[in-house]
Amino acid sequence: MLSPGTQPVDLYLANVPAEHAGKTLDIKLFDAGEGMNYLQVLSPTNVPQNFTWYSAACRDTGFCTSPDDLTGGTGMSGSCAGKPCLSVTGNKFQNNEATLRITLPANYTCTTNCWWKVRYVPLSGIDPATGQAYTVHDATEWSVAVTGDPVRLTD
């Protein structure tokens, strides 16, 4: 349960060692971010990463192009202060799963701190529906899978 006030909250997702360079991270978030403004995916060096995303709302057409448009397509997730992000305002993912996809660069390296994180940035100000300051109380479930070259068995 998140109740962060006005400060961003970082959730540790997965420890991804360098052996996964060139592979893809699929991050599944269920019921992501009610009461939050947007989310970002941070590399182990805390740099917001580009990603595409998919939701059941655009299941028939593929990866979504716009954080405000759940109709599908491919492309960037959005931009917040010049950094890639996904808007989660308006309860877009209420009782719905969003999959964020990141391709790790072929030269991805990591030796000690290899943790990838999701950063939730809360809304600030007054909720026009209640006349009160925004309050965040959210439960998000997540999983991370690394996909890429299959394991080959040899004699």
Side-chain angles (χ1 to χ4, degrees), residues 117-139:
K117 298 175 271 196
V118 64
R119 173 172 288 165
Y120 279 105
V121 178
L123 291 164
S124 60
I126 303 298
D127 183 346
T130 65
Q132 303 293 319
Y134 284 103
T135 304
V136 178
H137 297 284
D138 189 25

PDB file of all heavy atoms in Angstrom, residues 117-139:
ATOM      1  N   LYS A 117      14.220  -0.352 -11.088  1.00  0.00           N
ATOM      2  CA  LYS A 117      13.154   0.151 -10.229  1.00  0.00           C
ATOM      3  C   LYS A 117      12.059   0.804 -11.059  1.00  0.00           C
ATOM      4  O   LYS A 117      12.285   1.205 -12.198  1.00  0.00           O
ATOM      5  CB  LYS A 117      13.710   1.199  -9.254  1.00  0.00           C
ATOM      6  CG  LYS A 117      14.753   0.659  -8.307  1.00  0.00           C
ATOM      7  CD  LYS A 117      15.339   1.758  -7.465  1.00  0.00           C
ATOM      8  CE  LYS A 117      16.519   2.307  -8.232  1.00  0.00           C
ATOM      9  NZ  LYS A 117      17.419   3.108  -7.467  1.00  0.00           N
ATOM     10  N   VAL A 118      10.896   0.910 -10.467  1.00  0.00           N
ATOM     11  CA  VAL A 118       9.840   1.750 -11.016  1.00  0.00           C
ATOM     12  C   VAL A 118       9.671   2.911 -10.040  1.00  0.00           C
ATOM     13  O   VAL A 118       9.677   2.711  -8.826  1.00  0.00           O
ATOM     14  CB  VAL A 118       8.510   0.994 -11.242  1.00  0.00           C
ATOM     15  CG1 VAL A 118       7.900   0.491  -9.955  1.00  0.00           C
ATOM     16  CG2 VAL A 118       7.527   1.840 -12.003  1.00  0.00           C
ATOM     17  N   ARG A 119       9.617   4.109 -10.576  1.00  0.00           N
ATOM     18  CA  ARG A 119       9.424   5.312  -9.762  1.00  0.00           C
ATOM     19  C   ARG A 119       8.018   5.830 -10.017  1.00  0.00           C
ATOM     20  O   ARG A 119       7.657   6.153 -11.143  1.00  0.00           O
ATOM     21  CB  ARG A 119      10.439   6.380 -10.119  1.00  0.00           C
ATOM     22  CG  ARG A 119      10.162   7.726  -9.419  1.00  0.00           C
ATOM     23  CD  ARG A 119      11.276   8.710  -9.619  1.00  0.00           C
ATOM     24  NE  ARG A 119      12.405   8.253  -8.798  1.00  0.00           N
ATOM     25  CZ  ARG A 119      13.648   8.706  -8.938  1.00  0.00           C
ATOM     26  NH1 ARG A 119      13.939   9.581  -9.865  1.00  0.00           N
ATOM     27  NH2 ARG A 119      14.607   8.241  -8.153  1.00  0.00           N
ATOM     28  N   TYR A 120       7.236   5.908  -8.955  1.00  0.00           N
ATOM     29  CA  TYR A 120       5.909   6.511  -9.011  1.00  0.00           C
ATOM     30  C   TYR A 120       6.013   7.956  -8.550  1.00  0.00           C
ATOM     31  O   TYR A 120       6.575   8.235  -7.492  1.00  0.00           O
ATOM     32  CB  TYR A 120       4.936   5.774  -8.090  1.00  0.00           C
ATOM     33  CG  TYR A 120       4.369   4.515  -8.677  1.00  0.00           C
ATOM     34  CD1 TYR A 120       4.816   3.266  -8.253  1.00  0.00           C
ATOM     35  CD2 TYR A 120       3.361   4.554  -9.633  1.00  0.00           C
ATOM     36  CE1 TYR A 120       4.278   2.108  -8.776  1.00  0.00           C
ATOM     37  CE2 TYR A 120       2.824   3.404 -10.161  1.00  0.00           C
ATOM     38  CZ  TYR A 120       3.282   2.180  -9.728  1.00  0.00           C
ATOM     39  OH  TYR A 120       2.747   1.044 -10.247  1.00  0.00           O
ATOM     40  N   VAL A 121       5.479   8.868  -9.355  1.00  0.00           N
ATOM     41  CA  VAL A 121       5.471  10.290  -8.998  1.00  0.00           C
ATOM     42  C   VAL A 121       4.015  10.670  -8.738  1.00  0.00           C
ATOM     43  O   VAL A 121       3.162  10.548  -9.609  1.00  0.00           O
ATOM     44  CB  VAL A 121       6.081  11.148 -10.127  1.00  0.00           C
ATOM     45  CG1 VAL A 121       6.011  12.621  -9.773  1.00  0.00           C
ATOM     46  CG2 VAL A 121       7.528  10.717 -10.381  1.00  0.00           C
ATOM     47  N   PRO A 122       3.715  11.107  -7.503  1.00  0.00           N
ATOM     48  CA  PRO A 122       2.320  11.376  -7.142  1.00  0.00           C
ATOM     49  C   PRO A 122       1.789  12.681  -7.723  1.00  0.00           C
ATOM     50  O   PRO A 122       2.554  13.567  -8.110  1.00  0.00           O
ATOM     51  CB  PRO A 122       2.362  11.446  -5.618  1.00  0.00           C
ATOM     52  CG  PRO A 122       3.755  11.844  -5.293  1.00  0.00           C
ATOM     53  CD  PRO A 122       4.631  11.277  -6.385  1.00  0.00           C
ATOM     54  N   LEU A 123       0.483  12.758  -7.782  1.00  0.00           N
ATOM     55  CA  LEU A 123      -0.180  14.017  -8.120  1.00  0.00           C
ATOM     56  C   LEU A 123       0.030  14.984  -6.963  1.00  0.00           C
ATOM     57  O   LEU A 123       0.187  14.577  -5.815  1.00  0.00           O
ATOM     58  CB  LEU A 123      -1.683  13.782  -8.312  1.00  0.00           C
ATOM     59  CG  LEU A 123      -2.078  12.984  -9.543  1.00  0.00           C
ATOM     60  CD1 LEU A 123      -3.504  12.493  -9.411  1.00  0.00           C
ATOM     61  CD2 LEU A 123      -1.919  13.819 -10.794  1.00  0.00           C
ATOM     62  N   SER A 124       0.007  16.258  -7.255  1.00  0.00           N
ATOM     63  CA  SER A 124       0.101  17.242  -6.176  1.00  0.00           C
ATOM     64  C   SER A 124      -1.022  18.248  -6.355  1.00  0.00           C
ATOM     65  O   SER A 124      -1.585  18.389  -7.444  1.00  0.00           O
ATOM     66  CB  SER A 124       1.462  17.937  -6.188  1.00  0.00           C
ATOM     67  OG  SER A 124       1.658  18.601  -7.412  1.00  0.00           O
ATOM     68  N   GLY A 125      -1.358  18.913  -5.288  1.00  0.00           N
ATOM     69  CA  GLY A 125      -2.423  19.911  -5.348  1.00  0.00           C
ATOM     70  C   GLY A 125      -3.727  19.389  -4.779  1.00  0.00           C
ATOM     71  O   GLY A 125      -3.745  18.484  -3.943  1.00  0.00           O
ATOM     72  N   ILE A 126      -4.825  19.936  -5.263  1.00  0.00           N
ATOM     73  CA  ILE A 126      -6.157  19.625  -4.748  1.00  0.00           C
ATOM     74  C   ILE A 126      -6.928  18.776  -5.757  1.00  0.00           C
ATOM     75  O   ILE A 126      -6.987  19.099  -6.952  1.00  0.00           O
ATOM     76  CB  ILE A 126      -6.943  20.922  -4.460  1.00  0.00           C
ATOM     77  CG1 ILE A 126      -6.172  21.812  -3.475  1.00  0.00           C
ATOM     78  CG2 ILE A 126      -8.352  20.627  -3.964  1.00  0.00           C
ATOM     79  CD1 ILE A 126      -5.946  21.185  -2.113  1.00  0.00           C
ATOM     80  N   ASP A 127      -7.525  17.703  -5.271  1.00  0.00           N
ATOM     81  CA  ASP A 127      -8.378  16.849  -6.098  1.00  0.00           C
ATOM     82  C   ASP A 127      -9.696  17.581  -6.328  1.00  0.00           C
ATOM     83  O   ASP A 127     -10.426  17.849  -5.370  1.00  0.00           O
ATOM     84  CB  ASP A 127      -8.619  15.532  -5.375  1.00  0.00           C
ATOM     85  CG  ASP A 127      -9.445  14.549  -6.179  1.00  0.00           C
ATOM     86  OD1 ASP A 127     -10.066  14.950  -7.186  1.00  0.00           O
ATOM     87  OD2 ASP A 127      -9.469  13.369  -5.789  1.00  0.00           O
ATOM     88  N   PRO A 128     -10.033  17.927  -7.575  1.00  0.00           N
ATOM     89  CA  PRO A 128     -11.264  18.676  -7.818  1.00  0.00           C
ATOM     90  C   PRO A 128     -12.524  17.890  -7.442  1.00  0.00           C
ATOM     91  O   PRO A 128     -13.560  18.482  -7.142  1.00  0.00           O
ATOM     92  CB  PRO A 128     -11.232  18.970  -9.319  1.00  0.00           C
ATOM     93  CG  PRO A 128     -10.226  18.060  -9.895  1.00  0.00           C
ATOM     94  CD  PRO A 128      -9.294  17.664  -8.804  1.00  0.00           C
ATOM     95  N   ALA A 129     -12.432  16.576  -7.418  1.00  0.00           N
ATOM     96  CA  ALA A 129     -13.599  15.763  -7.067  1.00  0.00           C
ATOM     97  C   ALA A 129     -13.931  15.844  -5.587  1.00  0.00           C
ATOM     98  O   ALA A 129     -15.092  15.748  -5.202  1.00  0.00           O
ATOM     99  CB  ALA A 129     -13.369  14.312  -7.474  1.00  0.00           C
ATOM    100  N   THR A 130     -12.899  16.016  -4.753  1.00  0.00           N
ATOM    101  CA  THR A 130     -13.130  16.015  -3.298  1.00  0.00           C
ATOM    102  C   THR A 130     -12.856  17.360  -2.645  1.00  0.00           C
ATOM    103  O   THR A 130     -13.279  17.590  -1.521  1.00  0.00           O
ATOM    104  CB  THR A 130     -12.230  14.966  -2.614  1.00  0.00           C
ATOM    105  OG1 THR A 130     -10.855  15.361  -2.783  1.00  0.00           O
ATOM    106  CG2 THR A 130     -12.466  13.575  -3.181  1.00  0.00           C
ATOM    107  N   GLY A 131     -12.100  18.236  -3.331  1.00  0.00           N
ATOM    108  CA  GLY A 131     -11.706  19.503  -2.727  1.00  0.00           C
ATOM    109  C   GLY A 131     -10.601  19.348  -1.697  1.00  0.00           C
ATOM    110  O   GLY A 131     -10.247  20.286  -0.996  1.00  0.00           O
ATOM    111  N   GLN A 132     -10.049  18.146  -1.575  1.00  0.00           N
ATOM    112  CA  GLN A 132      -8.987  17.852  -0.615  1.00  0.00           C
ATOM    113  C   GLN A 132      -7.670  17.605  -1.355  1.00  0.00           C
ATOM    114  O   GLN A 132      -7.662  17.342  -2.556  1.00  0.00           O
ATOM    115  CB  GLN A 132      -9.342  16.580   0.184  1.00  0.00           C
ATOM    116  CG  GLN A 132     -10.668  16.647   0.908  1.00  0.00           C
ATOM    117  CD  GLN A 132     -10.642  17.667   2.028  1.00  0.00           C
ATOM    118  OE1 GLN A 132      -9.663  17.779   2.766  1.00  0.00           O
ATOM    119  NE2 GLN A 132     -11.712  18.444   2.165  1.00  0.00           N
ATOM    120  N   ALA A 133      -6.573  17.679  -0.614  1.00  0.00           N
ATOM    121  CA  ALA A 133      -5.275  17.340  -1.205  1.00  0.00           C
ATOM    122  C   ALA A 133      -5.308  15.881  -1.650  1.00  0.00           C
ATOM    123  O   ALA A 133      -5.978  15.047  -1.028  1.00  0.00           O
ATOM    124  CB  ALA A 133      -4.162  17.555  -0.186  1.00  0.00           C
ATOM    125  N   TYR A 134      -4.625  15.581  -2.758  1.00  0.00           N
ATOM    126  CA  TYR A 134      -4.572  14.210  -3.248  1.00  0.00           C
ATOM    127  C   TYR A 134      -3.982  13.301  -2.185  1.00  0.00           C
ATOM    128  O   TYR A 134      -3.002  13.638  -1.528  1.00  0.00           O
ATOM    129  CB  TYR A 134      -3.716  14.107  -4.513  1.00  0.00           C
ATOM    130  CG  TYR A 134      -4.392  14.623  -5.748  1.00  0.00           C
ATOM    131  CD1 TYR A 134      -4.063  15.861  -6.277  1.00  0.00           C
ATOM    132  CD2 TYR A 134      -5.375  13.866  -6.375  1.00  0.00           C
ATOM    133  CE1 TYR A 134      -4.680  16.329  -7.423  1.00  0.00           C
ATOM    134  CE2 TYR A 134      -6.008  14.336  -7.521  1.00  0.00           C
ATOM    135  CZ  TYR A 134      -5.654  15.562  -8.029  1.00  0.00           C
ATOM    136  OH  TYR A 134      -6.275  16.019  -9.149  1.00  0.00           O
ATOM    137  N   THR A 135      -4.576  12.147  -2.015  1.00  0.00           N
ATOM    138  CA  THR A 135      -4.073  11.112  -1.131  1.00  0.00           C
ATOM    139  C   THR A 135      -3.941   9.849  -1.952  1.00  0.00           C
ATOM    140  O   THR A 135      -4.854   9.485  -2.687  1.00  0.00           O
ATOM    141  CB  THR A 135      -5.040  10.856   0.042  1.00  0.00           C
ATOM    142  OG1 THR A 135      -5.262  12.082   0.718  1.00  0.00           O
ATOM    143  CG2 THR A 135      -4.471   9.837   1.005  1.00  0.00           C
ATOM    144  N   VAL A 136      -2.818   9.193  -1.821  1.00  0.00           N
ATOM    145  CA  VAL A 136      -2.567   7.987  -2.593  1.00  0.00           C
ATOM    146  C   VAL A 136      -2.621   6.791  -1.657  1.00  0.00           C
ATOM    147  O   VAL A 136      -1.904   6.730  -0.664  1.00  0.00           O
ATOM    148  CB  VAL A 136      -1.189   8.041  -3.283  1.00  0.00           C
ATOM    149  CG1 VAL A 136      -0.925   6.764  -4.047  1.00  0.00           C
ATOM    150  CG2 VAL A 136      -1.119   9.258  -4.189  1.00  0.00           C
ATOM    151  N   HIS A 137      -3.491   5.881  -1.982  1.00  0.00           N
ATOM    152  CA  HIS A 137      -3.556   4.587  -1.302  1.00  0.00           C
ATOM    153  C   HIS A 137      -3.733   3.560  -2.401  1.00  0.00           C
ATOM    154  O   HIS A 137      -4.816   3.422  -2.958  1.00  0.00           O
ATOM    155  CB  HIS A 137      -4.729   4.519  -0.316  1.00  0.00           C
ATOM    156  CG  HIS A 137      -4.600   5.497   0.792  1.00  0.00           C
ATOM    157  ND1 HIS A 137      -3.734   5.323   1.843  1.00  0.00           N
ATOM    158  CD2 HIS A 137      -5.202   6.679   1.009  1.00  0.00           C
ATOM    159  CE1 HIS A 137      -3.828   6.343   2.666  1.00  0.00           C
ATOM    160  NE2 HIS A 137      -4.708   7.185   2.173  1.00  0.00           N
ATOM    161  N   ASP A 138      -2.662   2.878  -2.735  1.00  0.00           N
ATOM    162  CA  ASP A 138      -2.704   1.985  -3.880  1.00  0.00           C
ATOM    163  C   ASP A 138      -1.956   0.709  -3.573  1.00  0.00           C
ATOM    164  O   ASP A 138      -0.950   0.718  -2.870  1.00  0.00           O
ATOM    165  CB  ASP A 138      -2.071   2.678  -5.101  1.00  0.00           C
ATOM    166  CG  ASP A 138      -2.287   1.897  -6.377  1.00  0.00           C
ATOM    167  OD1 ASP A 138      -3.252   1.128  -6.444  1.00  0.00           O
ATOM    168  OD2 ASP A 138      -1.492   2.063  -7.307  1.00  0.00           O
ATOM    169  N   ALA A 139      -2.458  -0.373  -4.082  1.00  0.00           N
ATOM    170  CA  ALA A 139      -1.761  -1.656  -4.031  1.00  0.00           C
ATOM    171  C   ALA A 139      -1.494  -2.064  -5.472  1.00  0.00           C
ATOM    172  O   ALA A 139      -2.420  -2.157  -6.267  1.00  0.00           O
ATOM    173  CB  ALA A 139      -2.621  -2.702  -3.331  1.00  0.00           C
TER     174      ALA A 139
END
